[in-house]
Structure formats: structure tokens, C-alpha cells
Amino acid sequence: MRSRPADACADCPVRDQAICAALDQDELNELSRIGDHRDYRRGDTIFAAGDEGIACATLISGAVKLSAMDAEGVERIVALVHPSGFLGQLFAATTALDAVALTDARLCVFPRPQFERLMADHPKLTRAILERTQTELEASRGLTRLIGRRDVKARLSGLLLALARAAAPTPCGQAMEFDLILSREEMASLIGTTIESVSRRLTELERDGLIERRGARGLVIRDALALETGEAVRG
Amino acid sequence: MRSRPADACADCPVRDQAICAALDQDELNELSRIGDHRDYRRGDTIFAAGDEGIACATLISGAVKLSAMDAEGVERIVALVHPSGFLGQLFAATTALDAVALTDARLCVFPRPQFERLMADHPKLTRAILERTQTELEASRGLTRLIGRRDVKARLSGLLLALARAAAPTPCGQAMEFDLILSREEMASLIGTTIESVSRRLTELERDGLIERRGARGLVIRDALALETGEAVRG
DNA sequence: CGGCGCGTTGACTGTAGTCAAATAAAGTGG
DNA sequence: CCACTTTATTTGACTACAGTCAACGCGCCG
């Protein structure tokens, strides 16, 4: 489904964080002209690995996972994309990763040929993409640090904090209560463990008072500091 | 130590892979004018986390690790940089990661203010950096996949293959025999385990005929396929 | 109501981490 | 160049944690 109101950018929630933020009004108008809003439902595949990359997009709302299959046919998630993030391969002919909506999501989609023309004409746009890519690179390295931790409890704690930060309305500070956008299986895939271990560690973190579960997906962060350091509260 | 021969770029070994590859002769001359070769010894710190980022560089030869300290003061490696790779923070004021030479290394160093001016004047340079950053992002995600594997043996096998590929003279194909650029501790840091486990799994891989050790650092890949799939050769 | 898909829990096994010691390699000073 | 010190790597014994297989509970939809 599509929609493209004339004043689309004016009230766009990621207007100031996405690549568009770097552009002046004329450039924004040009970009806006080739962009198309598109809505996806949770579980929808946005791009599939191996597809020709015919489009790229800014994520306006919702969350997306990027994943690949490993040798045994098990899904391995390599990144999460949050609002204002950029999706799509720019230089390679084909997409390397699956992009799947984790929640209902809205994208601002650009056909690649036109987008690349715009990049060629407007260095500022190229620069904006560069900054965005660097941000993603930093995020990816942050994830590398996270999943390099030796015990599952530490990896899971870090993941919960990362998800809490992402769920927070503002870039800083973290939501005390939020819904997990990942299933147990997805969490396990991301931090390199099994569904059962995720479940057990969650139970343990709850028993120790660091978190509280509200149903299967609801989560309350009760002690963010302890989650960071791996220490349970004493007394 | 420095050196800057007039024809520096002509016989540069990474001339066709680094960011310079995208530039025409005039642009290359300009870039070359602000670039300075610098040599580092194994173990030298190139940039330290927290430094003001006053320079960036292309790695000409050797290998570099990017790392950060975790909460317990243990080093966590988040990336390896190989020849033609780019080092240095472009937008942030300070460097987020330590960059340490894993082997003797040679860099082509650019002062940041001049480099950024060049980027502003030459969109092609910005675009080249963008492509390079995307490549690094892909590599980082590849690493994420690698270290997300559940058992140490699989993570270590993947690491050995990655190191073999990096040691190969040409981008494709892998060196059958090469020297490990990482200590046991560094390997453990990278794949999220301990020195002892690395050592034990190496012994096991050698016993099963997948690899052969030549002293502490020398390594021969005997069965690349088995390393990939995790299966030992039968019969 | 019955059959899913998803999550939790239990029992057991195996792998990886810890502590400690032995060995090999590398660096130092004579 | 050698003897000695220091550091890196391997190995051993033990423990703890995580993976596997299996059962159970829950919510959802036909």
C-alpha cells in the first residue's frame, strides 16, 4: 500500500534524524518527489537476500531485522534497524541480507536509479548517507562487543538494554517499560544462543529483580545499572 | 618515521583497492600532496580511544586491530583492518576505539581538516569513502555472523578461514600457509572465549587434520571445506 | 473442542570456563 | 652467543554453564 501526501516531509517523525536532515528545502523537495511511503505488516519481507537491489529506503516507523541464513539453514540476525535508519544496498547489484519487518512498519522508499542520480547531483546527500553508514557501522561494532561477551546472561542483559534504548521515545534515556520486538528465537539468533537459554536467563533476571515480565513480550527494566554491570542488587 | 617520495602513489600496493582508486589523476595528486607515509611497529598504538581525531589514513601494508575496553577492563576487539582499509573517525570529534598495529604496518596519513576540505571539494572522494565504509559495514556484519555461532570450535574455524583469506595475496582464494597475526588472547577476545579454549580447539582441529600448526604463530589450512562446515574428514 | 505456535520448565549431557602447573618461545643482560 | 628472566602457549583437573531432548502450559484460530 502506498500514500504520498504533498506535505509528506513536513510532519515526518524522522525528519531531523534521517538522511533528509542534511538537505536544504530544494533538495528535500527533489528527494520527496521520488520517495513513496509504503507500509508493511509485522513479518513482511521488505527485501530478500539475492534480490536485485532496485530500491532503498528510510525507515519512518517500526523496526526491521537484517538477517542471513547460515550453513545449517538457521536464521542469523546481524542487525536491527530503527526509525531514521536506512535500508538497501547502494553499490552491489544484489541484496546480501533479508530485511523483515519486526513490527508494523512504514518506509519512505526511493527507486535506486533515481536515488543514485540525486546522489550524483547533490554531494550533501552522499555525505548524509556516509554519516548514516558510519552510524550503522558503529552500531554494528557495538553489537559485536555485545555478543562477544562470554556468558549468555551478560549478552542477554546487554540486548535488553539495547532494546530498551531503541524503544525509548528520545535518543537518550531508556524506556522503563516496553514491548520486546523480538521473539525468543530471534533474541537467541542475535546473541548466539538457544531459545531455552534465553527463556531461562529471563526467568533468572526476573527472579533477581533486574527485570519484570508482563506476558511474553512486555518487559520492565527494574535495575538498568545491574543489567549493565552484571551484578544483582544487594540488600 | 615518515617518508614521502614524489611518485609515492605510482607503486603503491593498494593503489587500486583503497579510496584513491576512485580518483582521477588531478584529484590523486591533490590527495597525495596532503598524505604522509608513516611506519608503525607491531604493538604500536596508532590512535587511542578518546583522542581527538586529528587524522585519518589508508592502511598500505600490515594489519591493525580496533578495540575497546569492556566494563571489566578486558580488551574487546571489534574489527581487523587490512591493507586498503581506512582508519579514523570522520565526523565525531573524538576517536571511539583503540587502533593498534598487529604487525609492522605502513599508513598513508591525512590531516583531517585538509582531508575534509578535499571531500567537500571532490564528491568522488566522499563517494569513495562511502563505498569503503559500506564494505567495512559488510565486514562487520560478517563478523557478527561469525561470532554469533554457538560453539567455540565453529567460531574459531571461521576466524582461521577469515585470517587465511586476509593473508592471501589476492582478494579471492586463501593462503594455505600463513602466520597468525593475532595472539591467543586476541583470538579469544575476538570470538568471545578464553585463551585456554582457543588453545584446546586448535589442538583438536590439528588432531582431526583440519589444520597444522608450525610453531605458535604459523598455520597451515589442511581442509578448508571441513573448517567451513564443521565436519571432520572421513576416511 | 482440538490443533497449532510460542514460551517455559525439567533432566541430562557435553562443552566451555576457572584455577593451576608445565612447557615453549621470546626478550634481556652479561 | 649464551644463561637467565619474562611472557606466551599448552595441558590437566575440576566446576559451572549452556545445549539437547522432551514434556508441559498458554493463547489463538479454525
Side-chain angles (χ1 to χ4, degrees):
Chain A
M1 59 198 75
R2 290 148 176 268
S3 66
R4 181 98 276 284
D7 63 341
C9 294
D11 57 354
C12 176
V14 297
R15 169 79 181 80
D16 298 319
Q17 286 85 243
I19 49 169
C20 339
L23 307 180
D24 62 34
Q25 193 57 49
D26 283 351
E27 294 165 327
L28 187 62
N29 288 342
E30 278 196 76
L31 185 61
S32 156
R33 206 167 301 130
I34 68 168
D36 223 344
H37 284 189
R38 194 175 299 199
D39 290 313
Y40 294 86
R41 306 293 301 271
R42 173 173 165 185
D44 286 353
T45 295
I46 298 167
F47 303 124
D51 279 5
E52 298 167 67
I54 54 167
C56 51
T58 287
L59 181 60
I60 296 175
S61 66
V64 172
K65 66 176 173 182
L66 302 182
S67 64
M69 291 296 165
D70 69 8
E72 296 98 52
V74 181
E75 175 184 58
R76 315 256 41 243
I77 300 179
V78 296
L80 300 181
V81 183
H82 298 293
S84 84
F86 189 78
L87 287 167
Q89 208 80 32
L90 273 180
F91 301 115
T94 88
T95 306
L97 300 164
D98 291 315
V100 175
L102 288 167
T103 64
D104 292 353
R106 167 166 291 185
L107 266 62
C108 188
V109 180
F110 311 103
R112 218 176 105 178
Q114 294 162 58
F115 189 82
E116 297 204 337
R117 185 139 13 97
L118 226 52
M119 273 178 64
D121 292 345
H122 300 286
K124 268 200 276 185
L125 181 56
T126 306
R127 191 185 167 92
I129 304 259
L130 174 54
E131 289 191 43
R132 165 61 49 189
T133 307
Q134 302 235 28
T135 302
E136 271 160 34
L137 180 56
E138 254 178 69
S140 178
R141 286 176 175 165
L143 187 61
T144 298
R145 286 181 69 175
L146 176 63
I147 66 182
R149 297 185 187 175
R150 279 156 309 282
D151 47 305
V152 169
K153 193 167 145 191
R155 296 205 292 276
L156 183 59
S157 300
L159 176 60
L160 295 181
L161 285 172
L163 293 175
R165 273 190 294 272
T170 58
C172 47
Q174 60 217 16
M176 284 298 106
E177 180 167 3
F178 65 103
D179 279 331
L180 293 168
I181 56 177
L182 298 173
S183 69
R184 298 293 183 267
E185 187 169 18
E186 288 164 335
M187 289 194 254
S189 161
L190 198 44
I191 64 177
T193 183
T194 58
I195 305 179
E196 293 94 327
S197 284
V198 169
S199 183
R200 273 186 244 278
R201 288 322 122 212
L202 283 176
T203 304
E204 186 185 321
L205 289 172
E206 184 167 42
R207 175 174 56 67
D208 293 347
L210 308 208
I211 63 168
E212 198 181 315
R213 282 180 290 186
R214 302 258 228 257
R217 292 283 185 125
L219 199 85
V220 185
I221 304 284
R222 280 245 158 293
D223 190 341
L225 190 62
L227 283 173
E228 259 167 34
T229 61
E231 298 298 323
V233 265
R234 330 202 161 292
Chain B
M1 58 198 74
R2 291 148 176 269
S3 68
R4 181 99 275 285
D7 64 341
C9 295
D11 56 355
C12 176
V14 296
R15 169 80 180 81
D16 297 320
Q17 286 85 244
I19 49 168
C20 338
L23 307 181
D24 62 35
Q25 193 57 48
D26 283 350
E27 294 165 325
L28 187 62
N29 289 341
E30 278 195 78
L31 185 61
S32 156
R33 207 167 301 131
I34 68 167
D36 222 343
H37 284 189
R38 194 175 299 200
D39 290 314
Y40 294 85
R41 307 292 301 274
R42 173 172 163 185
D44 286 352
T45 295
I46 298 168
F47 304 123
D51 279 5
E52 297 167 68
I54 54 168
C56 52
T58 287
L59 181 61
I60 296 175
S61 65
V64 173
K65 66 176 171 182
L66 303 182
S67 63
M69 292 295 165
D70 68 9
E72 297 98 51
V74 180
E75 175 186 57
R76 315 257 38 243
I77 300 178
V78 297
L80 300 180
V81 184
H82 298 293
S84 83
F86 190 78
L87 287 168
Q89 208 81 32
L90 274 179
F91 301 114
T94 90
T95 306
L97 299 164
D98 291 315
V100 174
L102 288 168
T103 64
D104 292 353
R106 166 166 291 183
L107 267 62
C108 188
V109 180
F110 311 103
R112 218 176 104 177
Q114 293 161 58
F115 189 83
E116 297 205 338
R117 185 139 13 95
L118 227 52
M119 273 178 64
D121 292 345
H122 299 286
K124 267 199 276 186
L125 181 57
T126 306
R127 191 185 167 93
I129 304 258
L130 174 55
E131 289 191 43
R132 164 63 48 189
T133 306
Q134 303 235 26
T135 303
E136 272 161 33
L137 180 56
E138 254 178 69
S140 179
R141 287 176 173 164
L143 187 61
T144 298
R145 284 180 71 174
L146 176 62
I147 66 182
R149 297 183 188 178
R150 280 157 307 283
D151 46 306
V152 170
K153 193 167 147 192
R155 296 205 291 275
L156 182 58
S157 300
L159 177 61
L160 295 180
L161 285 172
L163 293 175
R165 273 191 293 270
T170 57
C172 47
Q174 60 217 15
M176 284 298 104
E177 180 166 2
F178 65 103
D179 280 332
L180 293 168
I181 56 177
L182 298 174
S183 69
R184 298 292 182 267
E185 187 169 18
E186 289 165 334
M187 289 194 256
S189 161
L190 198 43
I191 64 177
T193 183
T194 59
I195 305 179
E196 295 94 326
S197 283
V198 170
S199 183
R200 274 186 243 275
R201 289 320 123 213
L202 282 175
T203 304
E204 186 185 320
L205 289 172
E206 184 167 42
R207 174 173 57 66
D208 293 346
L210 308 207
I211 63 169
E212 198 181 314
R213 281 181 290 185
R214 302 259 227 258
R217 292 285 184 124
L219 198 86
V220 185
I221 304 283
R222 280 245 157 296
D223 190 341
L225 190 62
L227 282 173
E228 261 169 33
T229 60
E231 298 297 323
V233 264
R234 330 202 163 291

